[in-house]
């Protein structure tokens, strides 16, 4: 299983023309004219990422609201990289939101980097995720490198452990209730009578 995107999205000539004539700032990313292109980028990157978020490696949903085209180097800081294929990767909306506009470069750059040396987090196109982060039980993130550690901080990946714990408590509670209901439903007349007698004794 590949841990990084080997081939980025390749814009066709027609797509390049649409970009050139409709793009002047990173805010243009939201223009409706790019909607069809975004669908193509999503469809192209999904199998290349094994349908996993590039930061938390959780399964991506198929609804439009369950997958984001993430700009690895924030487009608000480097407008020129808004349509840079190597700057695009799919992430879950939660990771995208947590990462936000946080800086992920340790120096100013002019051209899009050709390696991830100056990138402080795991770069979906350049880095092998498994060398930076180890995931236990799908929700505990262990940093293997400084890059891994910074990725966990920037995307707040520790949030998943908290969510997982809450889910476990909920399931445990539900199981306990259903065990009690089952007990009552399956009890015979004598057992019920005994339980009632026991209960009455305790009340007295
Ligand atoms: Zn994620």
């Amino acid at each position: 299983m590949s841990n990084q995107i080997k081939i980025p999205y390749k814009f066709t000539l027609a797509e390049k023309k649409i970009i050139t004539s409709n793009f002047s700032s990173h805010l243009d990313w939201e223009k409706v004219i790019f909607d069809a292109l975004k669908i193509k980028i999503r469809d192209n990157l999904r199998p290349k990422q094994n349908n996993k978020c590039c930061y938390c490696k959780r399964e991506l949903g198929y609804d439009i609201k369950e997958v984001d085209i993430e700009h690895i180097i924030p487009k608000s800081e480097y407008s020129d990289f808004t349509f840079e294929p190597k700057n695009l990767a799919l992430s879950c909306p939660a990771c995208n939101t947590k990462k936000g506009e946080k800086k992920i470069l340790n120096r100013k750059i002019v051209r899009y980097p050709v390696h991830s040396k100056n990138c402080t987090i795991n770069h979906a196109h350049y880095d092998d995720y498994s060398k930076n982060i180890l995931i236990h039980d799908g929700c505990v993130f262990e940093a293997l490198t400084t890059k891994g550690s910074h990725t966990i901080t920037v995307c707040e990946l520790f949030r998943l452990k908290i969510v997982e714990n809450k889910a476990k408590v909920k399931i445990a509670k539900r199981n306990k209730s259903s065990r009690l209901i089952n007990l009552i439903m399956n009890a015979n007349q004598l057992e019920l009578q005994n339980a009632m007698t026991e209960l009455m004794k305790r009340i007295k």
Side-chain angles (χ1 to χ4, degrees):
M1 195 179 88
S2 168
N3 276 308
Q4 67 205 83
I5 304 165
K6 295 275 192 289
I7 306 159
Y9 183 82
K10 200 172 183 311
F11 293 112
T12 62
L13 269 177
E15 287 166 351
K16 279 183 187 166
K17 270 189 194 159
I18 295 175
I19 295 170
T20 322
S21 39
N22 291 284
F23 174 75
S24 58
S25 116
H26 71 277
L27 297 171
D28 295 329
W29 174 257
E30 303 302 333
K31 280 184 178 171
V32 177
I33 192 146
F34 295 126
D35 282 1
L37 179 57
K38 286 181 191 167
I39 292 172
K40 283 184 74 185
I41 296 172
R42 273 192 213 102
D43 290 349
N44 179 274
L45 292 178
R46 212 183 264 278
K48 292 176 183 172
Q49 296 184 207
N50 301 306
N51 199 37
K52 301 250 164 64
C53 165
C54 64
Y55 298 120
C56 69
K57 295 288 169 184
R58 291 208 153 192
E59 201 84 22
L60 293 167
Y62 283 87
D63 196 314
I64 193 96
K65 286 187 180 137
E66 294 172 322
V67 52
D68 282 354
I69 300 175
E70 141 74 359
H71 291 85
I72 303 169
I73 299 175
K75 61 182 184 315
S76 53
E77 194 186 355
Y78 288 92
S79 207
D80 286 354
F81 301 156
T82 303
F83 284 97
E84 162 57 52
K86 284 206 164 177
N87 200 37
L88 308 176
L90 302 184
S91 83
C92 68
C95 283
N96 194 14
T97 308
K98 293 291 179 194
K99 181 171 165 279
E101 295 177 3
K102 290 177 194 144
K103 288 189 193 318
I104 56 112
L105 292 172
N106 56 18
R107 50 165 287 206
K108 277 266 159 208
I109 53 166
V110 181
R111 281 202 205 105
Y112 199 81
V114 290
H115 51 67
S116 77
K117 211 169 73 188
N118 303 118
C119 183
T120 61
I121 62 165
N122 189 83
H123 192 296
H125 290 267
Y126 294 135
D127 295 314
D128 180 348
Y129 191 93
S130 63
K131 288 204 171 108
N132 292 320
I133 295 171
L134 195 62
I135 308 175
H136 307 273
D137 303 326
C139 66
V140 182
F141 294 77
E142 183 190 344
L144 304 176
T145 57
T146 322
K147 221 176 234 242
S149 161
H150 203 229
T151 309
I152 293 169
T153 312
V154 165
C155 299
E156 297 181 26
L157 295 179
F158 38 80
R159 74 180 193 269
L160 288 164
K161 176 72 187 155
I162 301 164
V163 172
E164 197 81 7
N165 279 345
K166 276 187 188 157
K168 273 184 188 157
V169 170
K170 227 179 192 174
I171 290 168
K173 272 188 186 161
R174 201 185 306 140
N175 284 345
K176 205 174 173 187
S177 311
S178 57
R179 260 202 306 276
L180 272 171
I181 292 166
N182 264 335
L183 214 70
I184 295 166
M185 296 296 278
N186 295 325
N188 59 35
Q189 200 59 36
L190 187 67
E191 280 167 337
L192 276 177
Q193 228 159 25
N194 287 343
M196 285 302 279
T197 318
E198 188 61 31
L199 204 64
M200 292 308 279
K201 264 191 224 162
R202 281 190 205 181
I203 291 168
K204 277 177 193 166

